[in-house]
Amino acid sequence: MSEVLDIAVRLVVIVVVFLALPLVVGQMEHKAMAHMQSRLGPMYAGRFHGWAQLIADGVKFVQKEDVIPAAADRRVFALAPAVALVPYLVVLVVIPVGPGLFGVDLDAGLFFVLAVMGVGVLGAIMAGWASANKYSMLGGMRAAAQLVSYELPLVLAASSVAMAAGTLSLNGIVEQWRWWWLPWQAIGGVVFFVAGLAELRRPPFDMPIAESEIIMGPMTEYTGLRFALFMLAEYAGIVVLSALTTVLFLGGWHGPLLPGPVWTLLKVLALAFVVIWVRVSYPRLREDQLQKLAWVGLVPLALLQLALTGVVKLAL
C-alpha cells in the first residue's frame, strides 16, 4: 500500500509541476519581452506590473469559438494538440530533480527521453496535414524537415555525456557529474541546447510557424483552447529542454549551500530565460541557413565532442 501511495504522490507532483512551470515560463516571457522590446501591453493587465496578463490570455482563449475547417480530417485535427503536449509530460517522469526525487529511474532513461521528445513533433505534422490548408501543410513539412536535421546533433551531444558518465540513466549521469565536466562537455552542451531550440521551433528556428510567411504554419486553423494547448506544449518543451540541459551538462542538483531541488529549479529558470533572450535578439533564419547550421555546423561539433570525450576517457 505504501508503494502505491508513493507512486501516486510522485505522479501528482509531476502533473502539478507540468501544469505550473510552463505557465511561469510563459509569464516570464511576457515580462522579459515587454522590457527588452518596449512592449507596453503586457505591463498593464492587472495594473501592478501586468501581473494578470497570463490570466487575461487564458480568458481570451476560453471565450474564442472552437472552429474546425469543413474539409479537415476532424479526428486527426482534434488529436494533434494532445500529441504535441503529452510527450513532454511523459519525459518529466524520468527527469531527476534532486537525490531520490524523480518519478522513475530507467536504465535507458536518456534514450527514452530522446525518443519521446521526437514524438511531440508529430503533433505539428498531424495538424498541418489534417487542416486542409496549404499554409498548414507547408508548416508541417518544414517541421518534419527540421526534426530530421536537428535530431542527429541532439542525439550525438547527449551520447557524449552518456559516454562520459558510463550510464544511460539520467539519475546516474547527475551522480557521476563533476565540476570539470563544464569545460569538458561545453561544446556538447551548446550543440544540445541549440538543437533542442530548433526541435521546439523556437525563434530564430521558427520557420515552420513564420507568421510573416505562412501565418502560423500547422496552427493556422486552430482557435480557442486547441490553440492554447499548442502554446502550452511550446512552453512545456522549453521547461523540458532546460531541465535536460541542466541534468546532462550543468550537474543537475549539484551546487553549494542551497538544497539540490532549488539548484535544479534555478538552473532550469536561467536556461528558460536564455531561450527567451535568444527569441528577442536574433532574426529568423532562412530555410537554407537553418539546414546549413545543422549539417555544416552542429553535426561536426557534436562529432568533435564525441571524439574529445573518448580521448579523455581513455586518458583517465
Side-chain angles (χ1 to χ4, degrees):
M1 184 63 183
S2 60
E3 183 178 351
V4 174
L5 181 61
D6 179 63
I7 294 174
V9 170
R10 288 173 185 263
L11 291 177
V12 169
V13 170
I14 290 170
V15 171
V16 170
V17 170
F18 178 73
L19 294 176
L21 272 184
L23 297 180
V24 172
V25 173
Q27 183 75 348
M28 184 193 302
E29 183 167 62
H30 280 308
K31 299 308 165 190
M33 292 179 66
H35 285 289
M36 291 181 177
Q37 296 183 331
S38 298
R39 296 187 177 193
L40 298 180
M43 306 303 290
Y44 281 92
R47 295 189 178 180
F48 178 72
H49 208 67
W51 67 268
Q53 179 61 48
L54 206 62
I55 298 175
D57 286 341
V59 173
K60 175 185 69 176
F61 284 128
V62 170
Q63 289 180 333
K64 286 189 176 294
E65 184 180 2
D66 184 17
V67 179
I68 300 179
D73 186 324
R74 300 181 68 90
R75 290 184 179 179
V76 178
F77 186 89
L79 189 60
V83 174
L85 178 62
V86 171
Y88 296 119
L89 171 60
V90 177
V91 167
L92 283 180
V93 173
V94 299
I95 295 179
V97 178
L101 296 177
F102 49 79
V104 179
D105 184 19
L106 297 179
D107 292 336
L110 180 57
F111 281 169
F112 173 81
V113 163
L114 296 176
V116 173
M117 282 183 66
V119 175
V121 182
L122 292 179
I125 299 173
M126 291 169 60
W129 180 84
S131 294
N133 179 302
K134 291 182 180 179
Y135 290 122
S136 299
M137 187 64 178
L138 181 58
M141 292 301 98
R142 286 184 177 183
Q146 206 157 301
L147 170 66
V148 171
S149 299
Y150 283 88
E151 188 74 10
L152 181 58
L154 187 81
V155 172
L156 289 175
S159 300
S160 173
V161 179
M163 182 191 300
T167 178
L168 292 173
S169 166
L170 295 180
N171 192 56
I173 290 173
V174 179
E175 290 177 346
Q176 293 294 325
W177 188 87
R178 298 294 181 270
W179 68 266
W180 52 271
W181 285 27
L182 287 174
W184 181 28
Q185 298 295 324
I187 297 175
V190 172
V191 170
F192 184 88
F193 192 69
V194 173
L197 282 182
E199 286 207 359
L200 293 177
R201 304 176 298 283
R202 288 284 300 183
F205 307 101
D206 58 338
M207 285 300 296
I209 297 174
E211 296 100 322
S212 59
E213 300 173 23
I214 52 176
I215 326 256
M216 282 295 285
M219 297 178 284
T220 298
E221 300 291 352
Y222 282 85
T223 59
L225 287 177
R226 298 185 199 275
F227 185 84
L229 287 178
F230 274 113
M231 292 294 97
L232 182 61
E234 180 178 336
Y235 291 121
I238 294 174
V239 171
V240 168
L241 173 63
S242 301
L244 283 176
T245 306
T246 296
V247 167
L248 297 177
F249 298 97
L250 299 180
W253 63 74
H254 290 287
L257 302 178
L258 299 176
V262 175
W263 272 113
T264 301
L265 181 61
L266 289 176
K267 293 174 184 178
V268 168
L269 292 178
L271 288 173
F273 178 76
V274 172
V275 174
I276 298 166
W277 196 352
V278 170
R279 172 178 179 174
V280 300
S281 302
Y282 293 96
R284 180 184 304 122
L285 296 177
R286 296 195 314 264
E287 190 66 26
D288 62 312
Q289 293 173 329
L290 187 143
Q291 297 295 336
K292 185 176 181 179
L293 176 63
W295 296 105
V296 179
L298 298 187
V299 171
L301 285 175
L303 292 174
L304 173 63
Q305 179 66 76
L306 271 176
L308 177 62
T309 301
V311 169
V312 173
K313 286 288 286 185
L314 286 176
L316 292 177

